[in-house]
Amino acid sequence: MRTSGTTRLLRNAATAAASVALLAGSLALAAPARAATDTTGTTTGTTTGTAARPGEPAGFHPEQDHAGSTVARHEGRSSAAANTFTALAATQTPGLDVSSYQGNVAWSTAYANGARFAYVKATEGTTYTNPYFAQQYNGSYNVGMIRGAYHFALPNVSSGATQAAYFVSHGGGWSRDGRTLPPALDIEYNPYGATCYGLSQSSMVNWIRDFSNTVHTKTGRYPTIYTTTDWWTTCTGNNGSFGATNPLWIARYSSSVGTLPNGWSYQTIWQYADAGTFPGDQNRFNGAFDRIQALANG
């Protein structure tokens, strides 16, 4: 049967429309996920695309997560904090902490400027290891510093024991050589969502104890705990059961250390500023250099 010109035009138009729709669908499937940001510009997750891998929160950005990365946003900083280094007493020993954010660190320069100890981020969750860890961990040791490794905790993605085992297997070990600090747990505001990672206070305490006991079993040392008084109070109910076993590494960007979490009568390390003389964060050890050696030796 012969078709009219009008019929052929209608059929051609329908075919073209179908092709355009098919192409648009293909492009939509191929489009990468778009990162969502909060009002500070920090990546908070993805609005489309595949779900995060097991052990990773949505929008995983471990290169941005380090000891203190959430502190200033939640607690602010004092203008006096950056100048605290110049007023160090003889019984306070300066040091620093770094992560992949600092890349390759000029350790000889940091040592010449007075740093005598360093904590280096090793791991986060159970999927991330710091690609600069060897340069930072070994480099600080090679110039004469006492150094240790720390783990950035994600309590909502796996158990404390699981993360502790991953940490110890990827740089978080310890040896009694007088140059290695106890492994450290960085437990602070959640950079991916709810402040306390969706855990109740009792569940958070159990997670920290699980991590701590596993590190102790595997290394012979209880980990140093890095936190802030505000976070600890909010998320553990100001639990006082860790002070007898775990050294405290407190973060407060001010001219004084302030009130400490329950259970600790003094801090071992104070992270007093997130910028200053050294690369990364600025710290003071609460004692002379021989006391850092004593802590390293256990």
Side-chain angles (χ1 to χ4, degrees):
M1 179 177 65
R2 297 178 63 186
T3 57
S4 69
T6 299
T7 302
R8 284 195 300 271
L9 289 172
L10 290 173
R11 286 181 178 175
N12 291 341
T15 300
S19 298
V20 170
L22 180 61
L23 178 60
S26 299
L27 290 173
L29 290 173
R34 177 172 57 86
T37 56
D38 62 17
T39 55
T40 66
T42 302
T43 301
T44 58
T46 54
T47 55
T48 61
T50 58
R53 294 186 299 170
E56 295 180 359
F60 194 46
H61 48 62
E63 294 81 7
Q64 300 175 30
D65 305 334
H66 55 83
S69 59
T70 66
V71 173
R73 189 188 333 151
H74 288 268
E75 300 185 20
R77 60 170 69 84
S78 167
S79 59
N83 298 319
T84 303
F85 174 79
T86 60
L88 287 175
T91 55
Q92 298 284 309
T93 306
L96 66 156
D97 64 87
V98 294
S99 66
S100 65
Y101 189 82
Q102 280 71 44
N104 291 322
V105 174
W107 289 107
S108 57
T109 301
Y111 188 89
N113 286 334
R116 293 296 179 264
F117 73 93
Y119 261 115
V120 177
K121 180 178 178 179
T123 52
E124 180 171 340
T126 55
T127 62
Y128 174 79
T129 57
N130 173 7
Y132 294 93
F133 181 76
Q135 193 276 345
Q136 296 173 345
Y137 191 72
N138 297 330
S140 54
Y141 179 94
N142 289 338
V143 299
M145 294 187 195
I146 297 177
R147 63 13 176 175
Y150 77 86
H151 173 78
F152 193 97
L154 298 177
N156 58 329
V157 300
S158 57
S159 71
T162 298
Q163 291 190 37
Y166 182 79
F167 172 47
V168 172
S169 297
H170 295 84
W174 176 79
S175 60
R176 187 176 280 109
D177 58 4
R179 300 284 300 282
T180 305
L181 292 168
L185 170 65
D186 175 3
I187 187 82
E188 58 181 278
Y189 302 97
N190 181 6
Y192 299 101
T195 292
C196 301
Y197 299 85
L199 273 63
S200 67
Q201 292 175 339
S202 61
S203 294
M204 183 64 76
V205 170
N206 289 336
W207 192 98
I208 296 169
R209 182 169 291 114
D210 198 20
F211 184 98
S212 178
N213 288 341
T214 302
V215 169
H216 181 256
T217 297
K218 290 182 175 294
T219 69
R221 298 298 301 271
Y222 285 103
T224 299
I225 293 178
Y226 171 96
T227 194
T228 77
T229 300
D230 177 74
W231 185 92
W232 190 263
T233 302
T234 301
C235 297
T236 74
N238 208 17
N239 184 274
S241 65
F242 293 92
T245 52
N246 302 74
L248 175 64
W249 180 9
I250 192 73
R252 186 167 187 260
Y253 302 158
S254 187
S255 57
S256 66
V257 71
T259 302
L260 299 178
N262 185 27
W264 286 282
S265 58
Y266 63 91
Q267 79 283 357
T268 297
I269 300 172
W270 171 23
Q271 185 191 81
Y272 63 87
D274 54 3
T277 301
F278 309 131
D281 302 310
Q282 316 297 295
N283 294 270
R284 342 172 144 190
F285 179 86
N286 191 14
F289 186 73
D290 66 332
R291 303 320 302 159
I292 305 178
Q293 292 176 312
L295 176 64
N297 278 318

